Amino acid sequence: MDRDKLRAVEGLTIFLDGKIDEDATKALVIMTAIVLDAFGDSPQPTTLEEAAILMNAAGVLINAGVRASDIEALGSGEEWMTRIVKSGLLIDTRFESAAIYNLANSRLAIAEFEIDPVQGDARDSSHTVTYAQQRFDARERLRLARIELDSAAALADGGRDRGMRLCNLANTLDHSGRWIEAYDAYVRALKADPENGNAAGNAAVLISRAIGAGWDFEGHLCSLYDHYLAMAKANRAGTVAVAGEPAAQRFDEMDLLGTDHPVHDPIMSADPYGQWIIRHRLALVAALEGLGSNGHTGRWDTIGLRSAAAPAPAARPLVIFRILNVLKADYLVARRLAFEADQLVEQDGGRTQHSEDPGVYTDTLDQAVHGEVSAKLVLAHRAALDVLDKTAVAVNEHLQIGDDPRKVWFRRFWFEDKNCTQLRASLISNERLIMPVLAMAELAIDMAEGSLYGHAQDVRNAGTHRFVFVHLGMQDIPTTATMRAMTLDAMRETCHQALTVARAAFLYLVALLDVFEASKATTDEPEDSASRPMPSA
């Protein structure tokens, strides 16, 4: 490539980056012309230097395309960035995370360009249906963007960059009704960069919607809302730096609630198991943090369907309450197994067999983690992801969809066809269910191979049908068709992820059932129906 032309692209990129706010259309026209002149009609870098310069140019084109609402420019930016990432030239360089991040942002910008900008909590139900359908139609771009944002965050060198990537991941999850996962991503963003006022403010907005939807049964969400809104106000400069003045003004206009309810119950939080649950945010409660507070001493996982309409002659609890009890217990056992394994690992790093394990194991001379520790992690992981299929069975039963329960799978249930190209008509015929169904459908898409949680699903399949071999990582151990090799740290991480996903699915299930029951209450019910509250143990 002509060196003078390459230098011209580099210099003009820096200049135009500062001119986007003045005239975005002019900036993208000039940027496109100079890149095509230097790289040709289909820009393809062949060296690290070319890839880095083209990446920065594509970033300017994407930003200008967003400002100018120019879908053609955004498409070009996505195309250039895709070639850069696929070239492999930036792997293991300081540019890799930025390239993947820019590619994800181009995908999000194109998807959002084609979606009505009013979010899915809009007051008009017909608009919500349109919004949800448009997001589902953009599912492949959004799926890729979620993977790329997560990957870019993992590769980021600094806390600020990691926080920005995780905040964008949280935003796109939240826009699809996946507020549990979104909240976790906001927390991770703030852990990486405590001065990210945009992440804190967006977390407050998410929490305010949950409060408005009636989820704050115990007062914790109001406290959490104040906590994050105060963070956003205190870090206004950080918001302006990453999201602009309009975002900061939005948080300026939001009022603190002034609640003094503690986010964590100090008595319940003193238990080691409770502390572990709090640290990993794994409680089945209406509070996003902590264990909640209730009248059941020592019992934390209180979330459930509050009431359900049933024919008046029915003397026994509805089947859905039995289902939720079993499903909750399955999750709690999986969580307990993971906790027990973590406790043992923290004692000696998994290097020795614990004293209560009665097994005699052959030394395979490869630093294997034999015995109950590895088995508990694998079983906890498998049991957690089994919850997903059962959430689909629960919806099938309570909404009377009519599928054979023996042939219901989470990854297929929410769709009309096997290729998952249409949301299931029998589920979204009730317009109020479309956002909860979209959340479940996207989560199902993210369980597929190569998607956000594809790795967790793959480990689950290996643990169910084959073998998972856990080792300390002192040497490379290949994975085969029979046995998947994983380091202890990786197995613990994927186990925690499986529990996080299962918790999200359970809470989404309860939200979906709540909406379904509320929609029944607003229709003309026959005189022989009655509302039954959730029974207490």
Side-chain angles (χ1 to χ4, degrees), residues 256-272:
L256 295 169
L257 299 176
T259 180
D260 58 359
H261 194 294
V263 174
H264 294 166
D265 185 318
I267 297 176
M268 299 176 73
S269 301
D271 178 82

Side-chain angles (χ1 to χ4, degrees), residues 228-249:
Y228 285 112
L229 183 56
M231 283 185 67
K233 291 177 180 294
N235 291 287
R236 192 181 193 282
T239 300
V240 173
V242 301
E245 179 64 27
Q249 290 178 1

Side-chain angles (χ1 to χ4, degrees), residues 166 170 182-192 199 203 228 281 289:
L166 289 170
Y183 177 78
D184 281 342
Y186 284 134
V187 171
R188 290 165 59 201
L190 287 165
K191 182 178 180 181
Y228 285 112
R281 292 187 298 282
E289 293 281 359

Side-chain angles (χ1 to χ4, degrees), residues 272 374 518:
S374 59

Side-chain angles (χ1 to χ4, degrees), residues 194-236:
E195 296 182 357
N196 189 330
N198 190 45
N202 285 338
V205 172
L206 179 155
I207 294 165
S208 71
R209 287 202 307 274
I211 294 170
W215 272 78
D216 197 20
F217 311 146
E218 299 166 355
H220 290 265
L221 293 186
C222 291
S223 300
L224 208 56
Y225 169 84
D226 276 2
H227 170 74
Y228 285 112
L229 183 56
M231 283 185 67
K233 291 177 180 294
N235 291 287
R236 192 181 193 282

Side-chain angles (χ1 to χ4, degrees), residues 103-398:
L103 175 56
N105 283 341
S106 70
R107 298 195 199 280
L108 290 177
I110 293 171
E112 298 292 346
F113 188 89
E114 298 172 346
I115 296 172
D116 193 308
V118 179
Q119 294 185 8
D121 57 343
R123 291 179 290 274
D124 183 78
S125 62
S126 64
H127 179 83
T128 302
V129 171
T130 300
Y131 169 87
Q133 190 59 59
Q134 288 173 338
R135 287 198 73 82
F136 183 73
D137 290 343
R139 62 191 174 279
E140 181 58 16
R141 268 203 173 90
L142 294 176
R143 182 188 74 85
L144 292 171
R146 292 190 295 272
I147 301 166
E148 289 155 357
L149 288 170
D150 188 61
S151 175
L155 292 168
D157 288 333
R160 180 174 178 178
D161 285 346
R162 186 175 300 111
M164 291 172 62
R165 287 144 177 72
L166 289 170
C167 184
N168 278 15
L169 174 60
N171 291 342
T172 191
L173 289 167
D174 187 32
H175 293 170
S176 291
R178 298 169 66 178
W179 58 289
I180 301 297
E181 298 158 274
Y183 177 78
D184 281 342
Y186 284 134
V187 171
R188 290 165 59 201
L190 287 165
K191 182 178 180 181
D193 178 14
E195 296 182 357
N196 189 330
N198 190 45
N202 285 338
V205 172
L206 179 155
I207 294 165
S208 71
R209 287 202 307 274
I211 294 170
W215 272 78
D216 197 20
F217 311 146
E218 299 166 355
H220 290 265
L221 293 186
C222 291
S223 300
L224 208 56
Y225 169 84
D226 276 2
H227 170 74
Y228 285 112
L229 183 56
M231 283 185 67
K233 291 177 180 294
N235 291 287
R236 192 181 193 282
T239 300
V240 173
V242 301
E245 179 64 27
Q249 290 178 1
R250 181 188 186 191
F251 305 143
D252 290 343
E253 294 167 2
M254 295 168 62
D255 295 324
L256 295 169
L257 299 176
T259 180
D260 58 359
H261 194 294
V263 174
H264 294 166
D265 185 318
I267 297 176
M268 299 176 73
S269 301
D271 178 82
Y273 184 39
Q275 292 174 350
W276 183 85
I277 293 170
I278 290 170
R279 186 163 67 251
H280 296 289
R281 292 187 298 282
L282 295 176
L284 295 182
V285 290
L288 286 165
E289 293 281 359
L291 303 173
S293 61
N294 59 83
H296 301 281
T297 303
R299 298 186 180 181
W300 311 315
D301 302 284
T302 55
I303 198 69
L305 184 60
R306 287 171 284 182
S307 64
R316 293 179 296 180
L318 292 174
V319 172
I320 189 60
F321 293 118
R322 296 172 180 162
I323 287 173
L324 290 175
N325 284 342
V326 172
L327 192 58
K328 178 181 286 186
D330 286 352
Y331 172 83
L332 299 189
V333 169
R335 189 181 68 189
R336 175 71 74 170
L337 283 172
F339 166 72
E340 291 174 353
D342 268 6
Q343 291 291 96
L344 293 170
V345 170
E346 288 173 6
Q347 290 176 11
D348 66 357
R351 290 177 174 80
T352 60
Q353 182 179 341
H354 75 91
S355 59
E356 295 181 4
D357 182 348
V360 176
Y361 307 99
T362 302
D363 187 353
T364 53
L365 305 178
D366 47 19
Q367 298 296 310
V369 181
H370 292 305
E372 292 184 359
V373 171
S374 59
K376 283 183 176 183
L377 287 171
V378 173
L379 289 173
H381 182 279
R382 189 171 80 195
L385 291 189
D386 283 348
V387 167
L388 297 186
D389 283 336
K390 293 178 183 180
T391 61
V393 175
V395 174
N396 180 65
E397 168 69 25
H398 193 61

